[in-house]
Amino acid sequence: MRTFFDKLVCDSAANFYKMMEDRLLKKEKMFIVTANPETFMKGTQDEDFCRLLEDKRTTIVPDGIGIVKVCDMIGYPVKERIPGVEIAEKLLQNADDHHSKLALFGAKSEVLNRLKGKINDHYPNIDLVLAVDGYIKEKDQVMQEIAMLHPDIVLVALGIPAQEQLIYRHLNEFDHGILVGVGGSFDVMSGCKKRAPKIFIKCNLEWLYRIAKEPSRLGRFYKNNVKFIRMASKLKRRS
Ligand code: UDP
């Protein structure tokens, strides 16, 4: 697990967004994993997922507050959360500013349709090359199709770990582009689900709001967080 912590982006969210935009403009390739305790636990349990996280082409950002707090505890200089939903929102703005090619993959079809409508209304300069809902069986085929369209930005919203595994399997097919697994972000960006009120975000309690809204998340959350804290608290940053 130490190797995952060693790779975490320690910069401020604002600086990270600037760097991401810069790489977008330079037409570089960037695969972003937005990590929470579940992501790191998966990396300890699954060799392939561990390889994905450790790959030098993978950029890992601290999405969950659990990651940030544990970093604080064990001496990693991570500054703050860089949430997946904010990355997705920034990328839509960047895509509009720079007339970029965008591909969306994931979420329910009604969610995706609402998001497409929103993009149409608020980001008129985006070139939306493809949008496919996440309940199609042939997901690998969709990724191949997306790669052939040479998009500048690819947002995949299928949940952890499916979205990361899918992007990783096809990473070599992309000549450039910012590729990110964004979890439930389409639900929020489309307006189908509300993000936590600002006060929850400010107090680092967004996770509590999500569990209160969707109690079925509690088991998964508890299992991953307890194990994660137990395992990670044994690590100390190497100087
Ligand atoms: N999803 C999907 N296809 C699937 C399973 C899930 O498109 O086969 C979507 C789901 O509709 C939701 C997102 O993936 O929009 C997962 O959201 P969740 O909040 O559970 O993700 P997390 O950030 O917790 O991994």
Side-chain angles (χ1 to χ4, degrees):
M1 188 181 284
R2 184 188 297 283
T3 48
F4 313 152
F5 279 103
D6 286 339
K7 284 195 65 183
L8 270 173
V9 169
C10 293
D11 223 338
S12 67
N15 282 347
F16 178 76
Y17 300 144
K18 265 189 225 137
M19 185 267 277
M20 192 172 69
E21 184 176 9
D22 193 46
R23 294 190 66 174
L24 171 73
L25 289 176
K26 287 185 182 147
K27 297 248 176 211
E28 289 180 2
K29 184 152 73 173
M30 187 180 189
F31 169 33
I32 304 171
V33 172
T34 66
N36 59 37
E38 189 178 351
T39 320
F40 279 13
M41 286 315 299
K42 182 79 186 159
T44 64
Q45 294 154 355
D46 176 333
E47 251 181 56
D48 290 337
F49 202 76
C50 178
R51 203 167 306 123
L52 174 160
L53 290 175
E54 289 181 345
D55 194 308
K56 61 179 188 319
R57 297 168 300 172
T58 306
T59 300
I60 311 178
V61 300
D63 179 334
I65 189 63
I67 298 272
V68 177
K69 290 287 178 204
V70 164
C71 282
D72 211 27
M73 204 164 80
I74 63 177
Y76 280 81
V78 160
K79 281 207 176 58
E80 58 182 338
R81 292 182 63 205
I82 306 180
V85 64
E86 284 179 20
I87 292 179
E89 281 164 352
K90 290 281 168 206
L91 284 171
L92 287 194
Q93 191 57 58
N94 292 159
D96 192 46
D97 292 344
H98 306 299
H99 298 251
S100 309
K101 282 184 179 187
L102 169 72
L104 303 174
F105 185 21
K108 294 189 178 129
S109 65
E110 59 269 28
V111 170
L112 197 63
N113 284 337
R114 273 181 75 169
L115 183 57
K116 275 160 52 182
K118 217 171 160 188
I119 289 174
N120 217 19
D121 295 344
H122 298 282
Y123 304 96
N125 300 320
I126 290 182
D127 179 8
L128 184 61
V129 291
L130 197 68
V132 180
D133 77 73
Y135 292 85
I136 187 168
K137 271 217 184 88
E138 301 78 16
K139 293 188 172 59
D140 286 284
Q141 223 168 294
V142 172
M143 280 306 275
Q144 284 166 1
E145 206 180 315
I146 292 175
M148 285 194 291
L149 295 165
H150 307 284
D152 304 303
I153 297 166
V154 183
L155 303 181
V156 182
L158 298 169
I160 295 171
Q163 56 196 18
E164 286 79 16
Q165 289 166 330
L166 189 68
I167 294 175
Y168 193 60
R169 274 204 297 282
H170 294 274
L171 203 50
N172 283 336
E173 295 160 32
F174 287 82
D175 50 5
H176 77 289
I178 312 287
L179 298 99
V180 202
V182 293
S185 301
F186 291 1
D187 303 84
V188 173
M189 293 195 298
S190 63
C192 293
K193 270 190 198 169
K194 277 205 169 63
R195 198 177 167 193
K198 284 208 175 75
I199 183 77
F200 278 76
I201 299 173
K202 207 165 159 223
C203 297
N204 291 321
L205 290 173
E206 189 165 14
W207 59 273
L208 183 61
Y209 178 87
R210 291 188 85 184
I211 288 172
K213 284 275 171 197
E214 295 169 69
S216 58
R217 287 184 179 275
L218 184 61
R220 180 177 148 197
F221 177 85
Y222 181 77
K223 197 177 86 197
N224 282 300
N225 277 265
V226 168
K227 277 194 200 156
F228 172 70
I229 291 170
R230 201 179 293 146
M231 201 179 245
S233 56
K234 292 188 189 127
L235 302 172
K236 275 264 176 268
R237 188 182 180 215
R238 277 190 289 247
S239 48

